[in-house]
Amino acid sequence: MKQSVAARGAFIHKIAQMDDTTSHAPEAVFQRFTLLSVQGVPLFRPIAEAWEPVVDFKAKPDDIVIATYPKAGTTWTQEIVDCILNGGDVEKTKRAPTHIRSPFLEICEVPPMPSGVDLLENTPSPRLVKTHLPYQLMPKSFWEQKCKIIYVARNAKDSLVSYYFFELMNRAQPEPGTWEQYLEKFMKGELAWGSWFDHVIGWWNAKDKHKILYLFFEDMKEDPKREIRKVMKFLGKELSEEVLEKICQHTTFEAMKDNSMANYSSVPDGLFDHSISSFMRKGAVGDWMNYFTVSQNKMFDEEYDKKMIATDLKFRCSI
Ligand code: A3P
């Protein structure tokens, strides 16, 4: 069904308003999702049960995709790309919260939010699409339309710690259990969106077959300007040093933690409980050292080496 630009704009505005006004309303505590496998990849049950609209999603040639395993710096990259697309006009990036500006492709309806596919169909181009799908589950139309994809990867240990705290605070995610149990599930690929190993390797192996820019969270922390330049070049956008500096300032951890349009504070409290853990938690490299015991670290390293033996993909767990 075709809609006019005005109607689409009104739809987005309504969703944004709804989201803002419900932000601190008393909310029923959300029922956590269980997982159901799609081709061996555990996803939220309602995503798996309504998989067809995702598979059949019609990408457009100017769609830009940000793909990650959860907690790799998706939101950070979404903010950077939105800044670049708006020529560094950071005021324009404050038009709506991240999840409206850059919809989450495969997410099911989580009231008051519509499904990602519904939201994307009502989003004007160029659309900035977020996904956590592993390479093999991406809708084919993204390849047919030759869309540009930015993949961001983060070292396994920091991803795991960040994901654990996120599952504690996000009441849509499955019950995380204890830290010990969580670590075990991570190694077995039993968390939502599956195995970190399969995810980062799958996209790594695909990067030369498509228009994929493969970035690392650790590199972004080390030298954000250098990495933002890579993104600009990939998107074919030339911006002045002054604008680049502005984008850097706008997308520091501290600036984003303070930005209500980027820190997920507009999500209803019943869904994201920031009193348990903030979405913008620490934004650091090496925080895993505060959580892994010596024996957990030894076990992790042994397993890690086995799982990564056949790839030339390398990560840094400290910088
Ligand atoms: P921590 O939990 O380690 O703090 P995602 O957006 O993929 O869910 O990733 C969230 C992680 O990225 C969180 O990690 C969050 O703090 C971190 N993050 C978000 N914005 C950031 C920024 N501007 N700089 C550094 N880290 C950032």
Side-chain angles (χ1 to χ4, degrees), residues 54 57 103-107 116-117 120 129-131 133 138-139 142:
V54 178
F57 182 76
F104 186 1
L105 172 67
E106 66 270 22
I107 200 67
V117 169
L120 279 163
V129 181
K130 161 187 166 179
T131 184
L133 291 178
M138 280 296 278
F142 285 104

Side-chain angles (χ1 to χ4, degrees), residues 60-278:
K60 297 178 186 172
D62 59 355
D63 285 342
I64 297 167
V65 181
I66 296 173
T68 56
Y69 186 78
K71 313 319 288 176
T74 328
T75 316
W76 188 8
T77 312
Q78 286 170 292
E79 194 66 25
I80 289 172
V81 175
D82 196 29
C83 281
I84 294 175
L85 295 180
N86 282 290
D89 186 342
V90 299
E91 287 313 309
K92 283 196 187 152
T93 66
K94 294 181 187 156
R95 66 193 182 282
T98 310
H99 53 282
I100 309 290
R101 286 182 281 143
S102 173
F104 186 1
L105 172 67
E106 66 270 22
I107 200 67
C108 47
E109 182 185 353
V110 183
M113 289 295 296
S115 73
V117 169
D118 281 350
L119 192 50
L120 279 163
E121 282 173 355
N122 287 282
T123 297
S125 290
R127 302 179 298 187
L128 186 50
V129 181
K130 161 187 166 179
T131 184
H132 288 323
L133 291 178
Y135 171 71
Q136 73 276 15
L137 292 187
M138 280 296 278
K140 273 207 294 296
S141 63
F142 285 104
W143 313 127
E144 289 160 1
Q145 298 299 330
K146 300 186 172 30
C147 297
K148 288 186 179 171
I149 302 190
I150 300 169
Y151 185 82
V152 188
R154 185 180 193 184
N155 79 72
K157 291 176 186 176
D158 282 327
S159 294
L160 164 55
V161 169
S162 180
Y163 207 179
Y164 180 61
F165 281 96
F166 184 61
E167 294 219 336
L168 288 173
M169 68 86 80
N170 179 350
R171 298 232 168 80
Q173 297 280 148
E175 199 62 60
T178 64
W179 162 246
E180 184 80 35
Q181 291 165 337
Y182 199 74
L183 210 158
E184 209 171 293
K185 282 192 275 186
F186 181 91
M187 290 317 259
K188 289 188 187 155
E190 291 175 355
L191 301 180
W193 284 279
S195 159
W196 175 92
F197 299 91
D198 293 348
H199 209 284
V200 295
I201 294 173
W203 279 96
W204 180 253
N205 292 343
K207 73 180 185 330
D208 300 326
K209 297 184 205 147
H210 305 282
K211 290 185 193 164
I212 297 173
L213 175 68
Y214 201 105
L215 299 177
F216 295 90
F217 182 96
E218 295 74 25
D219 293 348
M220 291 166 66
K221 278 300 283 187
E222 182 179 66
D223 191 344
K225 225 176 241 184
R226 178 188 65 204
E227 300 307 303
I228 296 173
R229 270 198 203 99
K230 280 187 199 165
V231 178
M232 279 164 40
K233 184 164 178 236
F234 180 67
L235 298 178
K237 304 277 177 198
E238 276 188 35
L239 301 171
S240 67
E241 277 299 303
E242 197 186 329
V243 171
L244 175 60
E245 178 60 37
K246 197 163 141 196
I247 296 175
C248 261
Q249 292 309 321
H250 178 77
T251 56
T252 61
F253 176 75
E254 292 72 22
M256 284 184 58
K257 194 175 171 73
D258 260 5
N259 179 354
S260 62
M261 292 298 156
N263 64 12
Y264 280 101
S265 57
S266 61
V267 169
D269 295 346
L271 184 54
F272 279 13
D273 188 342
H274 288 259
S275 69
I276 295 177
S277 177
S278 178

